[in-house]
Amino acid sequence: MTRDASILFSPFRLGDLQLNNRLVMAPLTRNRATKGTDAPNELNARYYRQRATAGLIISEATQISKQGQGYLWTPGIYSEAQAEGWTKVTEAVHQAGGKIFIQLWHVGRVSHVSLQPGGAKPVAPSAITAKTKTFIETGFTDASEPRALSVEDIAGIVADYKRAAENAKRAGFHGIEIHGANGYLIDQFLKDGVNKRTDHYGQSIENRARFALEVTDAILQVWDRSRVGIRLSPVSPFNDAVDSNPEAIFFYLVEQLSARNLGYIHVVEGATGGPRDIVPFDFTALRKAFAGAYIANNEYTRDLAIDTLQQNRADLIAFGKLFIANPDLVERLRRNAPLNTPKQESFYGGGSEGYTDYPTLDEAAQAGQS
Ligand code: 8OZ
């Protein structure tokens, strides 16, 4: 098949929502919320507005509760100040003609006592410490030992998701993405390397998927099904979350989500931010098992995005690092123009540098002339 870039810029209908193109801004942790309140601010609004030509923006991961936080200065959506801060962001994106979903996040065991309410232990399906790092006042540090959740605790967290979903509606988002990927709480329940529970949340596939589906169902009480998606990373070992048989658990989960007519699944294909072929997994079959839209992610290039859409292996393609470095990524891909290089050292924390100062093509051309 001849490669034809026009498919990248064709509109897509996600339920009743018309997306202007097939290019999604992936959720990206940037650690630049307001210190003290973890509320989004004007700088964050500017950053998202700059990227509003994406067909859909997924917000950075946003904690549903203080307990759900695992890194410093990530935004929340559980307080009034946070909901007001997000309203500034959504208004900026709407004014620029964009669409934005919020990614709802509970980190589970990927946290540190210094970030937890009252210095408590982080929570997890089982009391097993994650071999991973988190980010606190003194820099990167080992995740703390967690405590295992009780059944009552789990019900409380599901209620926190629902309240966060209500707050997100008031804050003007177009929809919700549930963060079910990358070794955070939902993924910790799904994967048998982490979940060692012996109650009805552990062992069998149905039991390990229960928490993900309870969270989904709570959010579907607040939002129309076409406005809700979930991000999954079936084979990613990120944050020390692995499963002995990813196809079994993830096909079951996706069939259950399909039966609920969820709007989309957003799949990290391979190791998060790393090799796409780390473990054999039939992502095309996963897509076929799901009735809604499929957003593909992980190390996509322009060519791979075109090929994947042309071969009908995805509906939408999410770009992470390329959207950090290129506010006008859509225009650059349209013109097949050179891309700015992402600066890793300014990904997490800081101010406008490496955040809102990446030039557009037009800005770069003007700077070149002067
Ligand atoms: C990088 C640093 C901190 C958090 C994810 C939310 O991987 C994250 C994250 C990524 O989903």
Side-chain angles (χ1 to χ4, degrees):
M1 209 182 314
T2 349
R3 193 173 277 148
D4 178 358
S6 65
I7 195 161
L8 298 176
F9 314 105
S10 59
F12 183 75
R13 258 198 114 68
L14 185 66
D16 61 341
L17 207 57
Q18 172 93 348
L19 309 184
N20 288 335
N21 57 59
R22 306 302 184 97
L23 309 170
V24 174
M25 178 177 166
L28 295 159
T29 290
R30 305 303 308 272
N31 310 77
R32 283 168 169 88
T34 306
K35 294 180 181 175
T37 61
D38 294 330
N41 52 48
E42 296 291 348
L43 180 66
N44 307 140
R46 180 201 307 262
Y47 161 80
Y48 282 107
R49 179 189 339 189
Q50 289 175 335
R51 288 158 179 76
T53 51
L56 177 63
I57 294 173
I58 315 293
S59 84
E60 64 207 274
T62 300
Q63 59 264 7
I64 58 158
S65 61
K66 181 68 185 157
Q67 183 196 66
Q69 183 169 12
Y71 309 81
L72 269 184
W73 312 315
T74 55
I77 183 73
Y78 55 89
S79 77
E80 204 49 47
Q82 293 160 357
E84 282 169 21
W86 277 119
T87 305
K88 291 183 198 149
V89 172
T90 61
E91 283 175 355
V93 171
H94 298 177
Q95 277 165 16
K99 308 278 190 313
I100 181 167
F101 280 33
I102 185 171
Q103 194 191 49
L104 296 186
W105 192 29
H106 191 304
V107 296
R109 66 179 187 159
V110 183
S111 187
H112 188 267
V113 287
S114 68
L115 295 166
Q116 290 291 305
K121 288 181 172 181
V123 299
S126 306
I128 306 167
T129 307
K131 291 185 193 68
T132 193
K133 299 277 181 197
T134 170
F135 178 69
I136 62 171
E137 294 275 1
T138 50
F140 284 95
T141 190
D142 291 339
S144 300
E145 183 191 343
R147 72 171 173 87
L149 289 161
S150 71
V151 168
E152 295 73 32
D153 294 329
I154 294 172
I157 294 175
V158 172
D160 289 342
Y161 272 100
K162 185 177 177 191
R163 206 192 42 230
E166 289 163 353
N167 292 345
K169 200 165 230 187
R170 279 194 292 121
F173 285 97
H174 288 103
I176 301 279
E177 177 169 292
I178 300 164
H179 195 343
N182 295 345
Y184 300 109
L185 186 59
I186 290 174
D187 203 28
Q188 289 161 28
F189 272 92
L190 292 171
K191 288 181 174 160
D192 62 8
V194 186
N195 180 349
K196 303 292 183 188
R197 296 179 74 93
T198 53
D199 64 2
H200 62 293
Y201 287 98
Q203 300 195 322
S204 72
I205 281 169
E206 291 79 2
N207 284 353
R208 283 184 281 129
R210 190 177 311 282
F211 178 65
L213 294 171
E214 286 180 351
V215 168
T216 304
D217 288 337
I219 291 170
L220 291 178
Q221 289 173 19
V222 182
W223 283 85
D224 184 83
R225 50 201 70 243
S226 71
R227 300 299 187 95
V228 181
I230 189 167
R231 194 168 205 232
L232 303 171
S233 55
V235 296
S236 182
F238 198 71
N239 282 322
D240 191 24
V242 292
D243 191 79
S244 59
N245 185 357
E247 296 204 322
I249 179 82
F250 283 93
F251 274 79
Y252 170 79
L253 175 64
V254 163
E255 282 156 13
Q256 295 294 311
L257 296 168
S258 189
R260 287 161 171 80
N261 279 309
L262 210 71
Y264 70 80
I265 54 173
H266 177 182
V267 182
V268 181
E269 299 169 339
T272 309
R276 292 178 47 79
D277 56 357
I278 177 170
V279 173
F281 190 97
D282 193 344
F283 291 107
T284 306
L286 190 71
R287 186 205 175 193
K288 289 196 182 122
F290 185 68
Y294 182 96
I295 308 181
N297 171 248
N298 206 28
E299 306 287 298
Y300 272 81
T301 60
R302 183 177 189 272
D303 282 352
L304 185 58
I306 297 168
D307 293 349
T308 302
L309 292 175
Q310 282 190 325
Q311 291 160 14
N312 196 23
R313 285 189 283 115
D315 299 295
L316 299 156
I317 310 287
F319 295 89
K321 291 185 284 277
L322 295 185
F323 257 117
I324 288 181
N326 299 279
D328 58 342
L329 182 64
V330 173
E331 186 57 21
R332 285 173 188 259
L333 294 181
R334 197 190 305 274
R335 294 198 219 166
N336 203 8
L339 302 176
N340 297 321
T341 307
K343 287 174 269 189
Q344 172 92 38
E345 65 278 10
S346 49
F347 281 179
Y348 309 117
S352 59
E353 207 182 316
Y355 188 54
T356 50
D357 62 355
Y358 286 102
T360 63
L361 276 176
D362 289 346
E363 286 161 357
Q366 277 164 19
Q369 279 162 12
S370 59

